[in-house]
């Protein structure tokens, strides 16, 4: 099946709506994507047209969206683009939706702290200690006087 995969960079425009459904969790929010360009006449950045997409997330992604995103957050969304046209009250409406595969904060515009969700039934979380990258492995910690020079290779 051919699908149109897109990657959209923008801001969360509406508070994510999270729902538990019969077939799993679902979340949706509106994403505002504004093109910016350098205006040589003004010598300044100028905002172009703003496109709005409805982003849909399902299952674990929906749960994490509900706990992580709020209005105004800069995000990157990857997913399948779906353009729908329908008639409401005699008028034709077109909407663009993104069925999200991955969503993340845009780290070029700020910082974020990643936290893995607890597994179901796991009430204790034991943080792993940070490895000490500055200690040398035992095999390499020999005194320099004990080390034998390596023979040079002949090519």
């Amino acid at each position: 099946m051919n699908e149109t995969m897109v990657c959209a960079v923008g801001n969360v425009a509406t508070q994510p709506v999270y729902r538990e459904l019969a077939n799993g969790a679902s979340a949706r929010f509106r994403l505002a994507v504004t093109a910016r360009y350098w205006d040589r006449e003004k010598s300044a950045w100028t905002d172009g047209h703003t496109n709005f997409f409805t982003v849909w997330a399902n299952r674990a992604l929906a749960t994490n969206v509900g706990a992580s995103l709020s209005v105004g957050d800069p995000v990157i969304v990857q997913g399948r683009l779906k353009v729908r046209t329908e008639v409401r009250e005699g008028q034709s409406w077109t909407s663009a939706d993104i069925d999200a595969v991955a969503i993340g904060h845009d780290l070029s515009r700020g910082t974020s702290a990643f936290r893995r969700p607890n597994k179901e039934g796991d009430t204790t979380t034991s943080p792993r200690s940070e490895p000490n990258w500055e200690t040398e492995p035992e095999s390499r910690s020999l005194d320099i006087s004990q080390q034998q020079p390596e023979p040079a290779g002949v090519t």
Side-chain angles (χ1 to χ4, degrees):
M1 170 165 49
N2 293 330
E3 297 176 328
T4 305
M5 295 296 287
V6 296
C7 183
V9 179
N11 292 319
V12 177
T14 61
Q15 187 63 34
V17 176
Y18 175 83
R19 294 209 170 101
E20 282 288 340
L21 303 174
N23 57 350
S26 177
R28 77 173 192 287
F29 64 91
R30 298 280 285 163
L31 177 70
V33 178
T34 303
R36 297 196 82 202
Y37 62 94
W38 181 256
D39 189 341
R40 284 188 256 179
E41 293 175 3
K42 297 178 184 176
S43 293
W45 286 99
T46 304
D47 288 341
H49 179 73
T50 300
N51 291 305
F52 288 92
F53 299 94
T54 300
V55 177
W56 294 89
N58 296 304
R59 295 174 290 283
L61 181 58
T63 303
N64 295 336
V65 162
S68 302
L69 299 183
S70 58
V71 175
D73 285 355
V75 292
I76 301 172
V77 177
Q78 181 184 13
R80 291 176 284 282
L81 178 66
K82 297 185 179 185
V83 179
R84 297 180 300 143
T85 303
E86 59 185 83
V87 176
R88 289 188 224 157
E89 300 174 8
Q91 290 187 339
S92 178
W93 290 82
T94 302
S95 64
D97 295 355
I98 299 175
D99 186 13
V101 173
I103 301 171
H105 284 112
D106 184 354
L107 297 181
S108 69
R109 295 164 49 196
T111 61
S112 185
F114 183 80
R115 291 178 308 279
R116 291 189 188 277
N118 291 339
K119 296 177 185 175
E120 288 187 44
D122 183 15
T123 57
T124 61
T125 57
S126 57
R128 288 185 259 176
S129 62
E130 182 71 23
N132 187 355
W133 298 106
E134 296 180 8
T135 58
E136 292 186 341
E138 290 179 29
S139 63
R140 300 204 58 177
S141 63
L142 297 173
D143 187 22
I144 293 176
S145 63
Q146 295 175 339
Q147 293 181 357
Q148 298 294 325
E150 292 185 21
V154 178
T155 56

